[in-house]
Amino acid sequence: MKTLFDETTLRGIRLKNRVWRSATWLGLADANGFMTDAIISTYETLAEGGAAVIVTGLTSVSATDAHIGGECKFYDNRFIDGHCRLTDAIHRHGARILLQTAMVDGPVDELTTAQVDDVVAAFGDAARRAEQAGYDGVQIHAAHFFYISRFISPLFNHRTDGYRGSGILPAILADMRDKTSDSFLITMKINSSDGYPGGMEKEEMVKACRPMTDLDAIEVSANGTSQTGIRAGVNEGSFLEATAHLAGEVEVPVVLVGGLRSVEFIGQVLNNTKVEYISLSRPLIREPNLINRWQQGDTTPSKCVSCNGCYRTEGHQCVFNIKQ
Ligand SMILES: Cc1cc2nc3c(=O)[nH]c(=O)nc-3n(C[C@H](O)[C@H](O)[C@H](O)COP(=O)(O)O)c2cc1C
């Protein structure tokens, strides 16, 4: 029987329970994309709160990428020192930290093969820097119609070279493996649905994941993530069906994210499917200490009401916490 609080290992790295903090962009980097004390303090509070793995908010690997306000950048060695301070702080609390490597925007069909090689190399270089900065690993952001997610969607990719279909994913993984050590975790977050006719759906996702046998985990999401109206015990697990399906099709451990609010539901998922880990965003914005609370025996569901008010606050805080 699996429980939320089982200790596991990935690539020999000990994880103290099965809970991940899903990537949550904070918008708190400085104007040039450098690390700030506010980011470190937010993640440190989460690490104290009990999650085994913290995935950072999306962090751009490219100097020429579109910019979204307060996003961290990681395209140059100058960024490493600030991230060392972050990884040290997290490790002091016995948690693991993965850098979510991303690009916001970019062309797909228009790029030459050599130009896509450069995109791939930018992800690999970011993984190398992440290891230098003390991260336990990275997560390739291939979800939510950020660049890599569009790059692998049939709606955008009409290429005829090796980068057709989802071909960029194994290329990024191989480049990251080349540039990091054997004990570095490489994971991926992917869409199980683009939510548009002709876009990526469950079977395309499975096809994209099959060659990625060298990944350490796959987190399954979809466009239209952060769904509103989630109620504990009523409609939890927004992407459960597709995620459980993938977990049955691949050997790589699969992480369920989206609308998880109760220990009871999570326990059912862990024991009725091959899902190995669960991931939370908004519940940990509302209650950074939620995992400790659950572990200490108060298993009342998350207080998050899935209003998405957090998206509109500075630093993506819970509106209920600000009012207090
Ligand atoms: C404020 C906010 C920022 C987010 N930023 C990211 C991000 O940077 N990268 C990402 O993959 N997902 C991001 N997400 C999506 C979450 O990781 C998660 O997939 C989604 O909120 C569903 O999980 P939940 O119901 O536990 O909140 C964000 C969500 C929120 C609420």
Side-chain angles (χ1 to χ4, degrees), residues 165-186:
S166 55
I168 196 170
L169 296 180
I172 290 175
L173 175 56
D175 202 61
M176 286 181 161
R177 284 278 176 235
D178 277 353
K179 292 172 179 169
T180 56
S181 77
D182 288 347
S183 56
F184 191 70
L185 298 175
I186 303 180

Side-chain angles (χ1 to χ4, degrees), residues 22-25 58 100 141 189 225-226 259 261 281-282 311:
S22 196
T24 303
W25 161 58
L58 63 92
Q100 191 180 52
H141 192 357
K189 187 169 183 179
T225 184
S226 309
R261 301 292 181 265
S281 171
R282 292 166 295 171
Y311 273 104

Side-chain angles (χ1 to χ4, degrees), residues 21 79 128 136:
R21 152 50 180 239
F79 294 99
R128 174 177 50 73
D136 300 285

Side-chain angles (χ1 to χ4, degrees), residues 109-126:
D109 290 348
E110 297 83 341
L111 293 189
T112 64
T113 301
Q115 286 171 321
V116 187
D117 292 342
D118 290 342
V119 171
V120 169
F123 276 84
D125 290 344

Side-chain angles (χ1 to χ4, degrees), residues 212-262:
M212 305 288 280
T213 53
D214 205 17
L215 276 177
D216 296 301
I218 303 173
E219 185 175 3
V220 179
S221 191
N223 281 356
T225 184
S226 309
Q227 293 186 356
T228 52
I230 307 288
R231 295 289 172 267
V234 177
N235 58 352
E236 292 184 68
S238 311
F239 313 119
L240 175 60
E241 200 269 327
T243 310
H245 176 69
L246 180 70
E249 296 289 319
V250 297
E251 296 297 321
V252 174
V254 167
V255 186
L256 175 68
V257 67
L260 299 171
R261 301 292 181 265
S262 69

